[in-house]
């Protein structure tokens, strides 16, 4: 009798483990075939059908069918799969795509990046996980975070909450070149990522939006004081991205310029609100609304392939900057 009880207990344990493995594979978005399960676990097709039936009942009770669907059979691939669930998970190609972007951004600490990669790979089958780790092994090893990088996810969440609740924030902020932090009371407008850094877009009273790098923020306190923003005049980061360059603001102005470099497409990508005014043998004339200080940095990066045309004072400012740059390269005359 004891032998029968032991045998029954072992069979029950084996079946429980089998159901867990089947559920885990389905949850990861993998398909499972009757033939493969028979070979792997030494069971009959009838046992597979019984297991699938029980998993269907569990999924229907534990998950919202209209959202997650349930187990269905793919007659072409001859596999069972969890409809909708597989579409909600990241597939191996999508994971590789996202990790490649994260590697290039350099906006995360190495520890943070590795943790995110591990969490994404949990969704893959063991075979896919091994394959992706092989593809990324060298890149992850050589990943170089920015010099001042530290984990900012908690701060990012805190500032996003402040923006949502329309509460003022007191920042301890260290400006570029400063030795000490200064206290700044701001009105948070949004969070952005650009050129390797996370930024808080905020206002001092009713000023134009100012960009504060999150890695330069020491302490951050949400104040009890609230501000109010009308829906029609709310700050929209998507629109702001069309105008700002390198997270340097300055004055928002209409600028007309001529470009005759190789890639007009790259210019239009960098300045999403730019419109082509005219084209001729001398190049393409464009007009865009930009924050001049940041746009100036980008215009200068185009070397001799870009000329600012209007407004006149901004054109003069560009000329003065280029003259000073030229002075850096002029040879010093040796006096006898």
């Amino acid at each position: 009798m004891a032998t029968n009880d032991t045998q029954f207990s072992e069979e029950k344990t084996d079946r429980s483990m089998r159901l867990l493995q089947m559920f885990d594979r389905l949850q990861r978005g993998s398909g499972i075939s009757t033939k493969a399960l028979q070979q792997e676990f030494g069971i009959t097709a009838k046992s597979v059908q019984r297991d699938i039936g029980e998993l269907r009942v569990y999924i229907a009770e534990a998950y919202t069918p209209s959202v997650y669907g349930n187990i269905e059979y793919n007659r072409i691939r001859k596999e069972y799969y969890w409809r909708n669930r597989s579409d909600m998970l990241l597939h191996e190609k999508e994971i590789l795509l996202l990790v490649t972007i994260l590697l290039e951004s350099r906006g995360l600490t190495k520890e943070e990046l590795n943790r995110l990669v591990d969490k994404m790979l949990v969704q893959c089958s063991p075979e896919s996980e091994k394959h992706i780790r092989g593809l990324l092994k060298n890149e992850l090893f050589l990943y170089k975070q920015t010099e001042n990088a530290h984990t900012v996810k908690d701060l990012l969440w805190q500032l996003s909450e402040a923006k949502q609740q329309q509460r003022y924030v007191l920042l301890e902020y260290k400006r570029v070149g400063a030795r000490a932090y200064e206290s700044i009371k701001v009105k948070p407008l949004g969070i952005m990522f650009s050129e390797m850094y996370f930024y808080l877009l905020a206002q001092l009273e009713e000023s134009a939006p100012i960009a504060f790098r999150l890695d330069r923020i020491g302490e951050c306190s949400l104040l009890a004081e609230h501000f109010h923003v009308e829906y029609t005049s709310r700050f929209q980061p998507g629109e702001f991205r069309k105008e700002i360059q390198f997270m340097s603001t300055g004055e928002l102005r209409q600028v007309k310029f001529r470009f005759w470099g190789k890639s007009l497409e790259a210019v239009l990508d960098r300045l999403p609100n730019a419109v082509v005014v005219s084209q001729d043998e001398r190049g393409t004339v464009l007009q865009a609304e930009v924050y001049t200080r940041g746009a100036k940095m980008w215009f200068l990066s185009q070397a001799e392939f870009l000329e600012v045309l209007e407004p006149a004072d901004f054109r003069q400012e560009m000329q003065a900057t280029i003259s000073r740059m030229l002075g850096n390269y002029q040879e010093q005359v040796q006096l006898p």
Side-chain angles (χ1 to χ4, degrees), residues 33-222:
S33 74
T34 299
K35 185 176 181 180
L37 289 172
Q38 287 181 259
Q39 294 176 346
E40 181 177 357
F41 297 108
I43 56 177
T44 63
K46 187 176 181 180
S47 294
V48 174
Q49 294 298 320
R50 185 176 67 246
D51 290 348
I52 292 293
E54 291 191 16
L55 288 173
R56 279 186 175 132
V57 171
Y58 171 73
I59 290 171
E61 293 177 351
Y63 296 84
T64 306
S66 61
V67 177
Y68 291 96
N70 209 315
I71 301 174
E72 295 188 3
Y73 186 70
N74 185 318
R75 296 185 180 279
I76 297 176
R77 299 178 61 179
K78 297 181 179 181
E79 289 182 339
Y80 289 97
Y81 70 103
W82 188 345
R83 182 173 63 85
N84 291 6
R85 178 68 180 180
S86 58
D87 293 335
M88 291 181 177
L89 295 173
L90 291 170
H91 293 266
E92 58 180 10
K93 294 177 183 178
E94 296 168 328
I95 291 174
L96 181 61
L97 174 67
L98 290 173
V99 175
T100 302
I101 293 172
L102 291 175
L103 285 165
E104 185 63 27
S105 76
R106 295 181 57 201
L108 304 174
T109 64
K110 194 164 189 174
E111 179 184 356
E112 202 168 30
L113 175 66
N114 285 323
R115 186 163 59 246
L116 284 175
V117 172
D118 288 342
K119 288 182 178 181
M120 284 191 281
L121 289 177
V122 164
Q123 301 184 53
C124 291
S125 66
E127 295 78 14
S128 293
E129 179 181 354
K130 182 179 180 181
H131 179 62
I132 294 175
R133 287 195 183 279
L135 292 174
L136 296 174
K137 182 178 180 181
N138 194 52
E139 284 78 1
L140 289 171
F141 176 75
L142 296 174
Y143 176 74
K144 176 68 175 176
Q145 65 190 44
T146 55
E147 293 298 324
N148 198 37
H150 59 263
T151 301
V152 297
K153 65 178 186 297
D154 293 336
L155 178 59
L156 188 149
W157 182 266
Q158 185 181 20
L159 292 169
S160 297
E161 289 281 285
K163 178 219 170 184
Q164 182 70 21
Q165 298 169 17
Q166 297 190 1
R167 293 170 60 182
Y168 281 95
V169 172
L170 185 65
L171 304 177
E172 295 297 318
Y173 191 74
K174 183 183 287 187
R175 298 183 186 275
V176 178
R179 294 186 177 182
Y181 288 92
E182 60 177 301
S183 297
I184 307 175
K185 178 183 172 183
V186 300
K187 181 193 299 184
L189 301 177
I191 302 291
M192 293 179 65
F193 181 85
S194 178
E195 307 289 338
M196 301 183 294
Y197 301 107
F198 290 95
Y199 292 87
L200 166 68
L201 279 300
Q203 283 181 309
L204 306 176
E205 298 302 331
E206 298 304 319
S207 67
I210 299 174
F212 296 90
R213 259 174 54 182
L214 261 62
D215 60 308
R216 294 189 176 278
I217 296 176
E219 298 295 326
C220 172
S221 304
L222 273 64

Side-chain angles (χ1 to χ4, degrees), residues 171-323:
L171 304 177
E172 295 297 318
Y173 191 74
K174 183 183 287 187
R175 298 183 186 275
V176 178
R179 294 186 177 182
Y181 288 92
E182 60 177 301
S183 297
I184 307 175
K185 178 183 172 183
V186 300
K187 181 193 299 184
L189 301 177
I191 302 291
M192 293 179 65
F193 181 85
S194 178
E195 307 289 338
M196 301 183 294
Y197 301 107
F198 290 95
Y199 292 87
L200 166 68
L201 279 300
Q203 283 181 309
L204 306 176
E205 298 302 331
E206 298 304 319
S207 67
I210 299 174
F212 296 90
R213 259 174 54 182
L214 261 62
D215 60 308
R216 294 189 176 278
I217 296 176
E219 298 295 326
C220 172
S221 304
L222 273 64
L223 304 179
E225 183 181 357
H226 287 257
F227 59 89
H228 179 69
V229 177
E230 295 291 342
Y231 181 80
T232 54
S233 61
R234 72 194 187 283
F235 178 78
Q236 300 186 67
E239 291 298 317
F240 189 70
R241 285 189 180 95
K242 295 179 182 179
E243 300 155 349
I244 193 166
Q245 302 299 323
F246 301 102
M247 302 311 293
S248 295
T249 51
E251 184 181 359
L252 184 61
R253 303 181 69 181
Q254 288 285 343
V255 174
K256 186 180 289 186
F257 61 96
R258 179 182 288 110
F259 177 78
W260 59 94
K262 290 184 177 180
S263 178
L264 178 61
E265 180 182 336
V267 176
L268 295 172
D269 286 341
R270 174 58 74 175
L271 302 171
N273 67 7
V275 294
V276 174
V277 177
S278 64
Q279 289 182 303
D280 56 30
E281 67 281 357
R282 298 176 61 195
T284 302
V285 175
L286 302 100
Q287 184 166 305
E289 188 174 37
V290 297
Y291 285 92
T292 52
R293 183 169 51 192
K296 175 182 172 183
M297 295 169 60
W298 185 78
F299 288 156
L300 291 169
S301 74
Q302 299 307 298
E304 71 271 25
F305 302 108
L306 186 145
E307 176 190 4
V308 171
L309 304 174
E310 299 176 6
D313 59 335
F314 185 52
R315 177 181 170 87
Q316 291 168 2
E317 182 182 336
M318 291 288 294
Q319 289 173 332
T321 300
I322 293 169
S323 294

Side-chain angles (χ1 to χ4, degrees), residues 4-18:
N4 291 336
D5 289 342
T6 301
Q7 184 178 358
F8 175 76
S9 177
E10 290 177 350
E11 290 177 354
K12 186 176 180 181
T13 300
D14 290 344
R15 184 159 185 269
S16 297
M17 293 300 296
R18 184 172 73 243

